[in-house]
Amino acid sequence: MPPAVSPNVVRELAAVVGAANVIVPGDERLVVFGTDWPGRVQQVPALVVRPGSTEEVCAVVRVLAREGLPIVPQGGNTGLCGGAVPSQPDREVVVSLARMRRILDVDTVANTMLVEAGCVLQQVQQAAAEAGRTFPLSLAAEGSCQVGGNVATNAGGVSVLRYGSIRSLVLGLEVVLADGTRLDMLSPLRKDNTGFDLKQLFIGSEGALGIVTQVSLALHPLPVETVTLMAAVESAGSAMAAFERIAGTFGARVVAFELLDAASVDAVVHHIPGARVPFEHATPFAVLVQLEDTLATSSLASQAEALVMQLLEDGICNDACVAQSGAQAQALWALRENITESLRGIGRVQKFDVSLPLRRIPQFLTELAPGLTREPSLRLFVFGHVGDGNLHVNVVAPTGTADSAVEFLDDLVYGLVSSHGGSFSAEHGIGQLKLGAMRRYKDGHQLRVMHLLKNALDPRGLLNPGKVLPA
Ligand code: FAD
Ligand code: MLT
Ligand code: ZN
């Protein structure tokens, strides 16, 4: 079969981005660019192109569009639904944003920051901290994921309760459309009701409507006091009771409220040297809580300790640990943040990223467990951002288990989620791995409008084909 991209086109792209930034067949890095983080999808791209500026992205897209070549935008490639890698082998061109990593402006009067889309999230957090501000989006992949990828997936993470998902932190966007047009929606104005707010369309569009090249971000004040605590609870019901008390007392000062089941914590303890559970006895669940205050008027720590005493007295939790130092807080967070990495090596992981009305969470988990007994080798791991209703349900089968043996899981989990009024994808998106659920559970009228928008912006279907929208 002839190469998908002719030598002339490769030369043309090299003239735009430099020969070193076009990765061609035969180069083993192509396999890396074609493999997703969990290793579930491996589709070698026809080519990888790495533009260094918005102008180069426009020029690259114009060439690829002229040739009718499918384009896969790729950020840090930490996505969990196969969205950033091709959906078919040897035909699609990965456009990597990794070279576009300049922080262009920080404004501490307006509390805004302008960055290129390839900036790694941690780099943005650091730049904000150096300016005496915080950029509060936080997730375990923050050392690798990029702001453009965060925008494209509308990333959530652990601080949604206080700061929302990244949609609440995006003031403006620059996007390159499927025909190479640069759409400037970068204005960081906080009020601008001049017609449709187009940037919202691209947030969470997973690279299927445009390539994000620059982002105006909202910054927040640095907290002056942070409290991290972990509490042991007997059941998901007790976890939710603890949330009701803590959120009722601390309101917007609750940044994170995370759930960890015993299996997930055990996986981390076995995988991460030095990881340790802070409780005397084994516990079915733990909750990890972070509180923050930007005013030093009262001691958040003593209020938190008083509330924990109350929760212990009332039997809502049966043990607790309030971090007494930054190092202790980090050790507690390590138990949560290393779960995904720790599960990666222990078998065939089926990931479900669902959200539910908070009051339904205990019942959902009670109904889920018996459904899994159909396949005795399956192990269940439950964790997530339970304070905002987001559960990560991971089911691990022994390595080598046939797809057919675990096929029933989709129906089991999504059927239950749907019966409780939840969503089959809370924060990870659809990519190419959740298309079946999208077809089955997404409202048909909404799907039709999504197709209309896709056709209007990308009539030839060149941007990230085989993703987000079922055929
Ligand atoms: P990629 O994986 O490269 O791409 C993801 C999607 O966005 C793809 O569809 C891709 O085509 C598109 N895309 C990427 N860059 C652009 C761009 N510049 N323009 C247009 N489209 C683009 N997610 C959460 O929401 N919350 C979490 O707590 C969380 N924790 C995680 C923990 C771990 C250990 C891992 C591995 C992943 C986690 N994720 C989480 C998932 C993932 O990190 C996020 O989805 C992240 O936002 C993806 O960013 P990325 O740069 O890696 O994007
Ligand atoms: C997390 O919250 O840790 C992530 O979203 C990753 C995962 O679901 O595994
Ligand atoms: Zn998550």
Side-chain angles (χ1 to χ4, degrees):
M1 199 163 66
V5 187
S6 75
N8 279 345
V9 172
V10 172
R11 272 193 289 278
E12 205 177 339
L13 292 167
V16 174
V17 298
N21 295 309
V22 181
I23 302 174
V24 295
D27 187 321
E28 58 196 26
R29 287 173 298 170
L30 277 191
V31 176
V32 177
F33 280 94
T35 307
D36 70 339
W37 191 91
R40 287 287 301 278
V41 186
Q42 195 177 85
Q43 300 285 14
V44 178
L47 211 64
V48 174
V49 187
R50 298 185 296 184
S53 66
T54 301
E55 292 67 33
E56 289 186 12
V57 175
C58 292
V60 164
V61 170
R62 275 197 293 270
V63 172
L64 298 176
R66 189 195 67 213
E67 297 297 314
L69 287 163
I71 299 167
V72 183
Q74 188 176 99
N77 197 12
T78 66
L80 298 171
C81 304
V85 293
S87 58
Q88 49 180 341
D90 307 318
R91 311 299 305 162
E92 303 179 9
V93 177
V94 166
V95 173
S96 162
L97 280 290
R99 286 179 61 225
M100 293 177 56
R101 47 171 187 259
R102 286 177 303 161
I103 308 264
L104 299 169
D105 186 43
V106 181
D107 178 342
T108 52
V109 178
N111 270 339
T112 62
M113 187 188 255
L114 177 64
V115 304
E116 287 187 317
C119 285
V120 169
L121 175 55
Q122 207 166 56
Q123 178 195 353
V124 172
Q125 294 166 338
Q126 273 161 11
E130 279 159 22
R133 298 291 183 271
T134 181
F135 181 65
L137 180 71
S138 175
L139 46 144
E142 64 200 22
S144 315
C145 64
Q146 299 174 5
V147 172
N150 299 148
V151 170
T153 55
N154 187 24
V158 296
S159 56
V160 166
L161 283 170
R162 183 169 166 90
Y163 298 104
S165 49
I166 199 173
R167 187 184 297 281
S168 323
L169 300 167
V170 172
L171 298 171
L173 278 189
E174 178 188 73
V175 170
V176 174
L177 299 177
D179 62 357
T181 305
R182 168 178 174 265
L183 200 59
D184 180 351
M185 306 166 287
L186 268 177
S187 163
L189 292 175
R190 289 181 194 254
K191 293 181 110 176
D192 180 11
N193 281 349
T194 49
F196 306 149
D197 188 359
L198 290 180
K199 66 176 176 293
Q200 301 299 347
L201 203 53
F202 296 90
I203 301 173
S205 67
E206 300 186 53
L209 298 181
I211 303 182
V212 177
T213 44
Q214 288 187 21
V215 191
S216 293
L217 295 167
L219 302 180
H220 284 265
L222 272 175
V224 294
E225 194 176 358
T226 299
V227 175
T228 304
L229 66 94
M230 189 173 268
V233 292
E234 274 305 311
S235 65
S238 298
M240 299 322 291
F243 179 68
E244 185 177 7
R245 289 279 193 92
I246 290 173
T249 305
F250 293 102
R253 290 181 291 174
V254 185
V255 177
F257 191 95
E258 300 283 315
L259 182 76
L260 306 78
D261 74 353
S264 303
V265 174
D266 276 358
V268 175
V269 168
H270 282 104
H271 187 80
I272 303 290
R276 222 195 106 249
V277 187
F279 308 127
E280 247 176 71
H281 303 289
T283 178
F285 291 97
V287 293
L288 176 62
V289 184
Q290 183 144 320
L291 309 172
E292 248 179 43
D293 214 335
T294 48
L295 298 171
T297 50
S298 58
S299 167
L300 193 59
S302 54
Q303 290 173 31
E305 271 162 20
L307 186 68
V308 165
M309 289 306 293
Q310 203 60 59
L311 293 176
L312 288 165
E313 267 172 37
D314 295 347
I316 291 177
C317 62
N318 46 41
D319 202 349
C321 165
V322 180
Q324 301 300 317
S325 65
Q328 261 184 25
Q330 261 181 20
L332 294 180
W333 270 107
L335 289 172
R336 166 64 183 88
E337 302 235 287
N338 285 304
I339 297 173
T340 307
E341 175 65 45
S342 302
L343 296 185
R344 189 152 70 147
I346 67 172
R348 182 196 186 288
V349 185
Q350 190 95 350
K351 297 183 86 63
F352 297 95
D353 162 42
V354 303
S355 61
L356 291 144
L358 297 201
R359 282 195 290 194
R360 299 296 191 100
I361 285 174
Q363 187 61 24
F364 166 79
L365 290 175
T366 304
E367 290 169 13
L368 177 66
L372 292 175
T373 55
R374 176 171 152 184
E375 188 53 65
S377 63
L378 297 180
R379 287 188 289 159
L380 175 65
F381 299 80
V382 176
F383 58 98
H385 322 289
V386 75
D388 63 32
N390 185 180
L391 282 183
H392 297 309
V393 174
N394 285 228
V395 184
V396 179
T399 309
T401 301
D403 285 353
S404 55
V406 289
E407 243 165 27
F408 74 99
L409 288 171
D410 277 15
D411 284 347
L412 171 70
V413 177
Y414 294 141
L416 272 176
V417 165
S418 167
S419 73
H420 285 286
S423 162
F424 60 88
S425 181
E427 60 173 9
H428 297 162
I430 305 299
Q432 54 183 302
L433 297 181
K434 305 278 171 71
L435 289 172
M438 191 72 163
R439 193 177 291 114
R440 177 139 185 215
Y441 296 101
K442 191 77 185 172
D443 168 70
H445 296 301
Q446 290 192 48
L447 271 180
R448 194 175 60 83
V449 174
M450 287 187 202
H451 276 289
L452 287 174
L453 291 167
K454 171 74 175 168
N455 288 337
L457 287 171
D458 179 18
R460 294 159 72 205
L462 294 180
L463 279 175
N464 230 359
K467 316 285 169 56
V468 192
L469 292 175

